[in-house]
Amino acid sequence: KSENTKDQCRGSVCAWAFKIVDTLGADRIIVSVFASALDRFLMLVQCCPEGFKLVALTGIFVAFKLHRPTQQVLGVESIAELSGGSFDQQDIFEMELIFLNTLSWRLNGPTPCCFLEAILQYQFPSCEVSVQRERISAIAESFIHLSVLDASFMKFKPSLVALGSFQLAMRSEGYTEASMVGIDRLFCHAGALYNPLDIRSIEVQLTNLASHPQYMGIQIVAPSMASLASHKSAHLANSKIWI
């Protein structure tokens, strides 16, 4: 497949992963972990279309196990069903070992959401959780979720994606550059260096991605728990993987 086609398939499968996570009322950080592992695996292993489907199914299975270790939210039986009959449970288990060994079991790296929390604490140092902070956090997380859908963000460190998403969220709420705390000082304290041009590039890409036809129909803001209380099995039955 061409790079463009592969990127479209990746975007579609990440959108599918968001649908699965939202249907089950799980934390969307699972999709970030899934996408990171999927990208790193595909950098090391060439896959045919059917192989890509199996890897994607296995990746979301592993991500759920990592973040819901004591809860069988998405078991191997459900994963096999999501394949639409293409794979059975044994296929998933065998690919899981290949997946984990290929990545040397390195699955729990930092995500942009981890860095976003540190940035929010720096911008809003009060111990009280303000309504404004929560709103900025929700908007920034929405931009971070958008970044997961586009493989081009792989070239940026998670901390920079978090910073670009945060600054877009702040501007959307009417904050000016002058009113933002010097985030560069935070990065200096952490011993990290960054190029402001990278941040600007991230902001431009996120803004463009938000209006991309492929993703305009995707619900980026997570649904309420009330909306997930019923018919989960029916939703999953309609969530078979497609690429």
Side-chain angles (χ1 to χ4, degrees), residues 38-239:
L38 178 67
D39 290 336
R40 287 183 288 121
F41 183 90
L42 294 176
M43 289 176 65
L44 299 171
V45 179
Q46 293 291 324
C47 295
C48 65
E50 280 298 294
F52 179 75
K53 285 175 64 175
L54 179 56
V55 169
L57 287 160
T58 304
I60 197 68
F61 175 57
V62 169
F64 262 94
K65 286 176 69 174
L66 185 65
H67 284 271
R68 292 285 189 93
T70 62
Q71 304 175 36
Q72 291 298 319
V73 178
L74 191 64
V76 68
E77 301 90 350
S78 298
I79 291 291
E81 289 176 9
L82 288 172
S83 76
S86 297
F87 308 106
D88 58 24
Q89 296 181 34
Q90 188 61 33
D91 293 326
I92 304 299
F93 283 133
E94 290 177 359
M95 178 52 73
E96 181 182 19
L97 281 177
I98 296 172
F99 193 81
L100 294 171
N101 288 327
T102 299
L103 297 178
S104 301
W105 293 72
R106 295 175 180 172
L107 298 167
N108 205 17
T111 66
C113 285
C114 299
F115 291 101
L116 176 63
E117 182 58 31
I119 293 170
L120 287 168
Q121 289 178 4
Y122 195 74
Q123 176 71 42
F124 303 100
S126 172
C127 293
E128 297 182 4
V129 178
S130 67
V131 173
Q132 188 61 19
R133 169 178 164 158
E134 289 300 293
R135 180 163 176 77
I136 294 296
S137 176
I139 296 171
E141 285 181 5
S142 292
F143 282 119
I144 288 173
H145 298 327
L146 271 176
S147 74
V148 173
L149 299 170
D150 191 335
S152 67
F153 284 90
M154 283 179 61
K155 63 179 178 286
F156 299 113
K157 293 180 179 179
S159 57
L160 300 189
V161 175
L163 179 54
S165 299
F166 165 77
Q167 293 188 166
L168 275 180
M170 292 286 283
R171 291 197 194 93
S172 73
E173 290 297 287
Y175 284 81
T176 63
E177 294 290 340
S179 65
M180 296 186 205
V181 174
I183 300 297
D184 56 333
R185 295 199 298 273
L186 172 63
F187 276 68
C188 287
H189 291 327
L193 299 175
Y194 72 92
N195 186 342
L197 293 179
D198 285 340
I199 304 300
R200 179 56 183 159
S201 178
I202 289 170
E203 292 178 2
V204 170
Q205 285 183 239
L206 284 173
T207 301
N208 292 337
L209 193 60
S211 60
H212 195 289
Q214 185 179 358
Y215 306 125
M216 286 180 68
I218 296 172
Q219 184 183 19
I220 295 301
V221 177
S224 66
M225 288 304 296
S227 68
L228 299 169
S230 61
H231 307 305
K232 286 185 179 179
S233 296
H235 283 304
L236 278 178
N238 294 322
S239 298

